[in-house]
Amino acid sequence: MADTPRKRRWPLFLAITLALLAAAGLWLNHQLEPNRLARRVLDTVGPSQGLEISFRGTPSYGLWPEPRLVLPEVSARQPGADTALLTAERAEISLPWGTVRGDGPLVITYIELDGPALDLAAFRDWRANRPETTDTTIPTLSRGVRVTGGSVLGDGWQLQDMDLVLGPVAPDETASLEFTGLLATGSLRASATGTLDVEKLAESTGFELVADGEIEQDDRLMAYRLQAPCDFDRQPPETTVHCSDVEFTGDSPLPTLRADRFSMTLGGPAGAQLGLEGWMREWPEDWPVLPEPASTDVRPTRFDIGYEGAADFSDPVTVKIERGETRLDATAVIAEVQAWLADEERTPLPPLLGRFSAPSLVVEGFTLENVQAEIVEPAPASAEE
């Protein structure tokens, strides 16, 4: 009979345990009530970035491996703007328990986006309207970011089928991005798969880009590989990229070249500035045949390309090419040269203005000495104005 009091106590212990579990369940349900948690997250992130972030449908949450909030049909836009700068079919946001409880500042550990679409024009408007004094501190994401099926809409071009995996993110810390995607513009399609290793996440940083892919134009596939160590610098309103020792290998008619210097600036008063200087060991076999003796010269072809003009690169590009003592200084419009290359009945000379010089030139079996020539036909329309 000595066990009777102990046996009578166990229902009390069970009742207390069940009561505690019920209280914990009620607390957990309150803390993780999806709409309340969603509004806390979006009402903190949105105003801090000058954005209105909303969703359509019913949010949900999960608990493993940590609390995570799932939002359907997310959109972000400037207050009062007609066009959203970012939409996503689904967004998953992982939060530590401290954020769920409402303790201290908002902390996000992981973001996953399905089907996000970035409108570049709306994004630029948002960036242009951001005060220069705005805090641009990079948030900490201890488990990084994943993007599936993303796209970017530009002016006359689009990035499609983008999959991105960004490792842990923290201000002034290294980061690594794995990516795949497709660039579509006009009749051209260019795929890319590669990595982007960033020295630190900041407005100015160094990075190295490695990418492989294929370029398709007029039903022709051309494989390529690109490796470029670079520096990125953003000083509003300008964004500049400098690269050195760029290696590009491509199937003809793509060139195989090494660039000693590449620089590009966008967003400044000039619209766009570009500089590319380097050399090619081989003349691509599908390019127009060089006249003798340049065609048999084993020395590499050096090039220097420059541009300053409209951001859509519709203004003339300056080109300097040297192969031994044979030289060409010219200006050309990229779109007109592309049309000339695609024309099976093209004229012997490309559409450019310039000066050609060579110590000698073999034309139909005749050797011309000390050749100096002005190329004036057909001229780029913008260069004639």
Side-chain angles (χ1 to χ4, degrees), residues 115-118 147-154 156-164 179-193 216:
L118 176 68
V147 172
T148 304
S151 63
V152 177
L153 179 62
W157 59 269
Q158 187 175 18
L159 289 174
Q160 305 170 345
D161 303 326
M162 292 175 55
D163 291 344
L164 310 174
F179 64 86
T180 183
L182 176 71
L183 170 66
T185 174
S187 62
L188 183 142
R189 300 288 185 273
S191 65
T193 299
E216 179 182 2

Side-chain angles (χ1 to χ4, degrees), residues 90-102:
R90 171 184 173 275
E92 179 179 315
I93 305 170
S94 294
L95 312 159
W97 279 108
T99 293
V100 173
R101 293 192 302 267

Side-chain angles (χ1 to χ4, degrees), residues 181 190-194 211-215 222-226 249 251 254:
S191 65
T193 299
D212 296 272
E214 290 182 329
I215 296 177
M222 299 159 282
Y224 74 89
R225 177 177 174 79
L226 171 66
T249 303
D251 292 342
L254 297 177

Side-chain angles (χ1 to χ4, degrees), residues 149-298:
S151 63
V152 177
L153 179 62
D155 184 9
W157 59 269
Q158 187 175 18
L159 289 174
Q160 305 170 345
D161 303 326
M162 292 175 55
D163 291 344
L164 310 174
V165 177
L166 178 62
V169 176
D172 297 324
E173 295 291 336
T174 60
S176 182
L177 173 71
E178 299 177 3
F179 64 86
T180 183
L182 176 71
L183 170 66
T185 174
S187 62
L188 183 142
R189 300 288 185 273
S191 65
T193 299
T195 60
L196 184 68
D197 293 320
V198 181
E199 290 181 2
K200 62 179 181 178
L201 290 175
E203 292 288 283
S204 299
T205 188
F207 65 91
E208 182 164 3
L209 171 65
V210 178
D212 296 272
E214 290 182 329
I215 296 177
E216 179 182 2
Q217 188 168 33
D218 301 325
D219 298 324
R220 182 169 186 173
L221 285 176
M222 299 159 282
Y224 74 89
R225 177 177 174 79
L226 171 66
Q227 184 168 355
C230 305
D231 290 296
F232 170 85
D233 182 38
R234 184 175 184 275
Q235 299 292 334
E238 294 185 349
T239 299
T240 301
V241 175
H242 293 285
C243 304
S244 60
D245 297 327
V246 178
E247 295 183 4
F248 183 89
T249 303
D251 292 342
S252 182
L254 297 177
T256 293
L257 58 84
R258 185 180 184 92
D260 303 320
R261 177 186 63 87
F262 169 82
S263 64
M264 182 171 65
T265 299
L266 298 174
Q273 293 177 289
L274 181 143
L276 178 64
E277 183 178 356
W279 52 275
M280 296 186 300
R281 179 68 65 184
E282 303 278 341
W283 188 263
E285 62 181 23
D286 291 316
W287 286 17
V289 178
L290 291 172
E292 294 183 8
S295 60
T296 57
D297 196 323
V298 296

